[in-house]
Amino acid sequence: MPVLTRPRPAAPALRAAKEPRRPARLSFVRRHAFSIAVLAPSLLLIGIFVYGFIGYSVRVSLSQWQGLQPNLSTREPFGQTYEDLLHTARFQADLRNVAVFTVLFLALAVLVGLVLALLVHNALAGRAVFRAIFLFPYSLSFIVTGVVWRWIFTPSTGANLILDKLGIEHGPKWITDPTVAGDVSAALEKVIPGGDFIQVEMGIPLAVIPIVIAASWQLAGFAMANFLAALSTMPEELREAASLDGAGTWRYHWHIVLPWLRPMIVVVLILLGHVSLKSFDLVYAMSGQGPGFATDVPGIFVFDQTFRALRYNSGAAAAVVMLLLVAAVMVPYLYRSVLREKKS
């Protein structure tokens, strides 16, 4: 006698194997269609106006384009514009000035911002008022700041009038001082292979110091605001535990507050560092090229070469060098941030 058996439903894995598989790319596009539609215009514009023009600038820097008539034919030998640029005394002075300015500006702005943040955070009253007062310079234009501080640091006016009232007859020359202190160019020539190409004094131009003061005055409030944000996330239990352990004010801030602020200090250094490497308007309004290019920076060099001398290849090459300097600061930080997000 035959035995009737009920047909069993196909196993899920077996059904999946029989169904036609959709292409993975098509499935990804359908699942993220809205996000792609929203992001596509921005990505297109960034691709054209940022990376497209970066590529065009590199192409111009390798060309023979000098004058009003465009000439994109490649200059021979390849990269000759960059070699000429690095042997130009003015551009060497620009790289020296921007390096000195960046180091001094970061040190002063971060230190002042940190002190202001601690004072405001520990203030018993009026925190909002002090925070607004110290943050106000950040809202000003660099041009306005440059004009005001130029008057202050002009030898015949401003700060020297106060020094004259105090009995100091011959005050500093400030932004008109061509002196370069601590020249180490001779030592660099011995250390760097082929270092005899250095044509300027590698030291600290004294005329840069007033610009450092002006820039720090404007951006110390920005650093303070970031440090205050980090301090606001600090658990109160840490202060109570330190107090129970008998830690004084100095030990509490040195061993607990500073380590807590260390990630934010790195962020502020990165943000202010890339601003200082691209500096133009503040320096241009305050001192311009300065005596003997003592305050000249790559941004002013790019402006002069491109729009005044019409040496488009030289201006584009200097702009590419500026881009590489900023990328050397930003790319490692962004790469580290991406790795941290993946781990979390």
Side-chain angles (χ1 to χ4, degrees), residues 1-334:
M1 183 177 179
V3 179
L4 299 178
T5 58
R6 183 179 298 174
R8 298 181 177 178
L14 186 58
R15 287 202 306 270
K18 292 180 178 179
E19 292 179 354
R21 300 185 62 181
R22 297 176 180 175
R25 291 183 179 177
L26 183 59
S27 176
F28 176 84
V29 171
R30 287 180 176 176
R31 282 188 283 112
H32 300 86
F34 180 75
S35 301
I36 293 174
V38 171
L39 293 176
S42 301
L43 294 177
L44 180 62
L45 294 176
I46 291 175
I48 294 175
F49 292 104
V50 177
Y51 298 103
F53 280 96
I54 288 176
Y56 186 71
S57 298
V58 174
R59 181 68 186 89
V60 172
S61 69
L62 299 173
S63 71
Q64 303 180 23
W65 189 356
Q66 292 186 354
L68 295 175
Q69 187 67 27
N71 181 6
L72 292 179
S73 55
T74 303
R75 184 183 179 188
E76 299 294 342
F78 187 80
Q80 182 62 41
T81 305
Y82 287 94
E83 185 175 351
D84 293 344
L85 187 67
L86 295 179
H87 285 82
T88 302
R90 179 184 174 183
F91 195 70
Q92 292 179 5
D94 294 351
L95 295 178
R96 174 202 64 192
N97 296 342
V98 79
V100 171
F101 172 74
T102 299
V103 172
L104 297 180
F105 161 67
L106 290 180
L108 185 59
V110 170
L111 179 62
V112 173
L114 182 61
V115 172
L116 292 178
L118 294 176
L119 291 175
V120 172
H121 182 71
N122 295 316
L124 298 178
R127 289 185 183 181
V129 175
F130 288 118
R131 185 170 57 241
I133 291 175
F134 295 139
L135 192 58
F136 174 72
Y138 180 61
S139 64
L140 299 177
S141 165
F142 278 122
I143 295 294
V144 175
T145 302
V147 171
V148 173
W149 283 92
R150 176 174 183 160
W151 177 82
I152 293 175
F153 285 122
T154 296
S156 59
T157 61
N160 278 7
L161 294 180
I162 300 175
L163 296 178
D164 187 58
K165 294 291 184 184
L166 296 175
I168 303 175
E169 297 181 356
H170 302 288
K173 298 179 181 177
W174 302 114
I175 55 177
T176 63
D177 193 343
T179 306
V180 178
D183 180 25
V184 295
S185 55
L188 290 177
E189 290 181 1
K190 297 178 181 178
V191 174
I192 301 176
D196 54 348
F197 72 94
I198 300 176
Q199 304 178 34
V200 296
E201 296 177 291
M202 289 297 174
I204 301 175
L206 298 185
V208 168
I209 294 178
I211 303 174
V212 170
I213 296 173
S216 302
W217 173 82
Q218 180 156 16
L219 291 173
F222 170 79
M224 177 205 68
N226 285 276
F227 294 146
L228 282 175
L231 287 171
S232 66
T233 63
M234 192 170 179
E236 189 62 27
E237 290 79 5
L238 290 178
R239 179 189 290 272
E240 296 174 357
S243 178
L244 291 175
D245 290 341
T249 303
W250 171 253
R251 290 185 60 190
Y252 167 71
H253 285 89
W254 183 257
H255 293 287
I256 296 178
V257 175
L258 276 182
W260 184 267
L261 291 177
R262 190 173 300 156
M264 183 57 71
I265 292 176
V266 174
V267 171
V268 172
L269 287 174
I270 296 295
L271 295 177
L272 295 184
H274 99 278
V275 171
S276 66
L277 291 174
K278 297 187 302 182
S279 58
F280 170 77
D281 37 11
L282 175 64
V283 182
Y284 194 83
M286 196 167 170
S287 61
Q289 299 171 359
F293 302 117
T295 61
D296 201 29
V297 290
I300 297 179
F301 182 86
V302 171
F303 178 77
D304 284 346
Q305 292 294 305
T306 304
F307 300 107
R308 289 180 172 172
L310 301 182
R311 299 191 183 98
Y312 290 95
N313 54 357
S314 180
V320 171
V321 172
M322 286 182 63
L323 174 66
L324 294 177
L325 292 176
V326 174
V329 174
M330 295 299 297
V331 170
Y333 170 72
L334 295 176

